[in-house]
Amino acid sequence: MTEAIPVLVAGGGPVGLAVALELAHQGIRSVVIEPREEVSWLRPRAKTTSARTMELFRRWGLAEQVRARAALPVGWSDRAVFTTGLLGREITHIDHCFGLDLTGDHRAAEPGQQIPQPAVEQVLRDTISGSPLVTLRTGWRVVDLTEDEHGVTAAVIDPHGQAQRIRAEFLVGADGATSTVRAAIGARYEGSADERPNYNIVFRSPGLADRVPHGPAVHYWVLHPTHPGMLGRLDLADTWWCIAQNLPQQAGDADPLGVVRGLVGADIPAEILATDPWKAKLLLADRYHSDRVFLAGDAAHLNPPWGGHGFNTGIGDAVNLGWKLAAVLRGWAPRSLLPSYQDERRPIAARTIAEAARNMSILAPELSDARLTGTDAEFAAVRARVAEAVHRDKSGEFHSLDLVLDYTYQGSPLVGARSGARLPHHWLGPGESLYDLLGPGFTLLGPAQHPLIGPFTDAAAEHRIPLHVVARSGHRLTLIRPDQHVAWTDTEPGTPREVLRRATGYPR
């Protein structure tokens, strides 16, 4: 017997779980298939949840839960320190990193948060476990799929090795870099890889934090000619992560403790908890969908971690795709809405990959100078030059709010000619965000007496489009999409009916 559901999500990492949560937010049931029984805690992967992703978590009511699970409080540090070694001499530092300093700032409803990806994933799993609209099946995997005019049939393997079939109206492939779904629809990666090897280590070293002379920092960049890389804390106890750059796997595997000691700059006692060799990839799927199958997250794009954008880009995919699938399944948008997912999200991924590539072009090995580890006179002679290079070439990696908060869907067929950006944020009062007033569907924001409010509500009712009206003086009449991006303002042409039909994907 074949099970039938509205949406099947292949892959239960943070992006797949986010797709399911967005669908549930919109009232749509889904099943998530994930091979891993448990979250892998010893490979922390992404460590920065951006301000924009935290805004989207707030939209689901999860921002505070994410912060409560974070071992590093958001106010702990927003600094990146560049040094000759964790216990060595400071060269320079960069403040206000990753939007971690945005608490109470009008620019965003949430600051960024330093938290390992597994902790975020566990929050999402726990939330889904309490949702009647989402079923997470761990130990299962999708092995093949067939698509027809009316839906998708997925061949899956259950935890006992038995073959099963699941029938869905739509399928989302959030199954990572080696995506079975991407291969099944004939999509392929385009791009390149960086051949420089990197070596991740998670280690425990009691008392190490007390010896660090530089104060709290989210990153410590080690500009050492023979031990270049970076370190950071995973908690406020004894657990750390590090990345050794230009280090082949064979050398890392042979002496991981020596790698840690080289980055620290002292023969510290340390317990190696996990290692992970890798090379950076800059890859973008040539297409994001077939007729009823869609790609999200790493299945659609891979970029180097420098700047912390990969996982966050995937969460943006999930929200954009999720509300559109829900709109079609609930009958208030046509199927012609769905190709706009690729139209809007693929350029964002391309821009993110380009930004990460620029960040990757100059890393610790390129900034290192042998004189930094020499005499005091040699250090002083070269320090200013290296510090200037750091602030010139690396500042954009840590200060990227233009990419995080200001990306736009301008040019999308769904929005007006001057629209597409995220709704400008501001605080209404202590802890009360403008975003908290928005509905899960479309929102019409503007003066209570605006003459177009009535025609908009009538047009929305005609097409069964969920429209929440927020009367606020001091705002232009603005139509806001479910993902908090602006679809139209009253500075642009179009009748309410025309605007709503365009915003929901009806052909012009």
Side-chain angles (χ1 to χ4, degrees):
M1 182 176 178
T2 302
E3 180 182 6
I5 55 172
V7 181
L8 177 65
V9 181
V15 174
L17 297 174
V19 170
L21 281 169
E22 179 60 24
L23 289 168
H25 186 67
Q26 304 290 344
I28 298 297
R29 188 167 63 91
S30 66
V31 171
V32 181
I33 299 294
E34 169 53 46
R36 296 168 302 142
E37 294 278 1
E38 303 291 338
V39 173
S40 176
W41 289 91
L42 289 180
R43 287 174 171 79
R45 305 298 182 184
K47 303 168 192 71
T48 301
T49 298
S50 73
R52 181 60 184 144
T53 297
M54 289 301 298
E55 288 181 337
L56 296 173
F57 287 167
R58 181 187 183 109
R59 182 170 162 274
W60 295 329
L62 296 182
E64 290 308 312
Q65 293 184 48
V66 170
R67 296 201 194 282
R69 299 282 185 94
L72 304 179
V74 68
W76 180 72
S77 179
D78 60 28
R79 172 171 290 191
V81 174
F82 293 76
T83 177
T84 60
L86 184 64
L87 304 184
R89 293 180 286 196
E90 179 177 325
I91 300 164
T92 190
H93 62 264
I94 296 175
D95 290 321
H96 312 301
C97 296
F98 302 129
L100 299 171
D101 61 331
L102 291 178
T103 301
D105 192 299
H106 279 297
R107 286 176 292 175
E110 294 283 343
Q113 176 67 56
Q114 286 290 294
I115 178 172
Q117 181 176 314
V120 174
E121 190 175 335
Q122 192 62 55
V123 170
L124 301 184
R125 281 196 178 200
D126 293 347
T127 302
I128 277 174
S129 69
S131 172
L133 293 172
V134 185
T135 301
L136 173 61
R137 295 179 182 167
T138 59
W140 294 60
R141 55 193 175 92
V142 174
V143 294
D144 199 6
L145 62 91
T146 57
E147 184 178 1
D148 57 51
E149 181 182 354
H150 302 290
V152 185
T153 301
V156 302
I157 303 296
D158 70 16
H160 306 292
Q162 300 298 310
Q164 307 278 351
R165 285 158 55 94
I166 299 177
R167 180 72 173 171
E169 293 187 59
F170 297 100
L171 186 146
V172 177
D175 50 344
T178 59
S179 173
T180 297
V181 175
R182 186 180 62 246
I185 67 171
R188 60 185 180 84
Y189 276 147
E190 297 175 335
S192 62
D194 180 26
E195 291 306 313
R196 292 174 293 181
N198 301 282
Y199 198 84
N200 286 11
I201 302 175
V202 176
F203 66 96
R204 182 180 294 118
S205 183
L208 175 60
D210 296 333
R211 299 177 59 186
V212 177
H214 314 295
V218 292
H219 285 183
Y220 299 93
W221 281 63
V222 177
L223 309 187
H224 191 289
T226 57
H227 305 290
M230 53 197 297
L231 306 92
R233 299 183 70 170
L234 280 177
D235 57 35
L236 294 182
D238 304 317
T239 312
W240 295 72
W241 59 269
C242 68
I243 303 174
Q245 295 165 356
N246 279 2
L247 183 73
Q249 178 179 354
Q250 184 177 5
D253 289 347
D255 187 14
L257 178 59
V259 174
V260 168
R261 288 172 169 172
L263 289 167
V264 171
D267 289 339
I268 60 165
E271 175 189 3
I272 305 300
L273 302 178
T275 61
D276 187 18
W278 58 279
K279 292 181 179 180
K281 295 179 173 60
L282 304 95
L283 301 173
L284 182 62
D286 60 346
R287 58 193 179 99
Y288 272 29
H289 65 91
S290 57
D291 187 34
R292 289 181 173 269
V293 180
F294 299 83
L295 305 176
D298 286 356
H301 46 78
L302 279 178
N303 59 268
W306 320 117
H309 301 301
F311 144 75
N312 295 290
T313 307
I315 301 298
D317 293 345
V319 173
N320 187 293
L321 177 59
W323 80 258
K324 292 172 180 176
L325 287 173
V328 173
L329 288 164
R330 290 178 63 190
W332 54 267
R335 288 269 301 281
S336 54
L337 170 66
L338 298 178
S340 69
Y341 166 63
Q342 173 174 300
D343 295 339
E344 293 184 345
R345 292 303 302 174
R346 193 172 183 273
I348 302 300
R351 179 185 171 192
T352 302
I353 290 169
E355 290 279 347
R358 280 191 286 272
N359 294 337
M360 184 179 68
S361 65
I362 297 178
L363 298 174
E366 288 74 41
L367 291 167
S368 297
D369 190 303
R371 288 169 292 177
L372 291 171
T373 57
T375 65
D376 289 348
E378 289 174 320
F379 175 78
V382 75
R383 178 185 183 184
R385 182 188 61 77
V386 174
E388 179 184 2
V390 165
H391 287 273
R392 181 186 65 240
D393 299 324
K394 302 304 290 181
S395 181
E397 181 170 339
F398 298 100
H399 301 153
S400 57
L401 292 183
D402 57 334
L403 179 61
V404 171
L405 297 178
D406 297 337
Y407 66 83
T408 179
Y409 299 138
Q410 188 172 25
S412 163
L414 305 186
V415 305
R418 294 186 293 276
S419 295
R422 161 183 161 272
L423 176 70
H425 176 266
H426 68 267
W427 293 101
L428 306 176
E432 185 184 6
S433 164
L434 174 64
Y435 288 1
D436 298 340
L437 304 183
L438 307 181
F442 280 81
T443 299
L444 191 65
L445 173 69
Q449 303 306 315
H450 198 290
L452 287 180
I453 288 181
F456 262 106
T457 55
D458 291 344
E462 176 190 349
H463 292 284
R464 297 185 295 130
I465 298 170
L467 180 67
H468 177 61
V469 178
V470 176
R472 298 287 300 183
S473 60
H475 287 272
R476 303 203 69 93
L477 192 67
T478 303
L479 182 67
I480 304 150
R481 308 184 337 169
D483 57 8
Q484 300 172 340
H485 282 253
V486 173
W488 172 89
T489 71
D490 62 7
T491 62
E492 300 174 294
T495 67
R497 184 177 184 275
E498 290 168 345
V499 168
L500 285 169
R501 285 177 63 85
R502 178 179 64 206
T504 51
Y506 281 92
R508 299 190 182 186

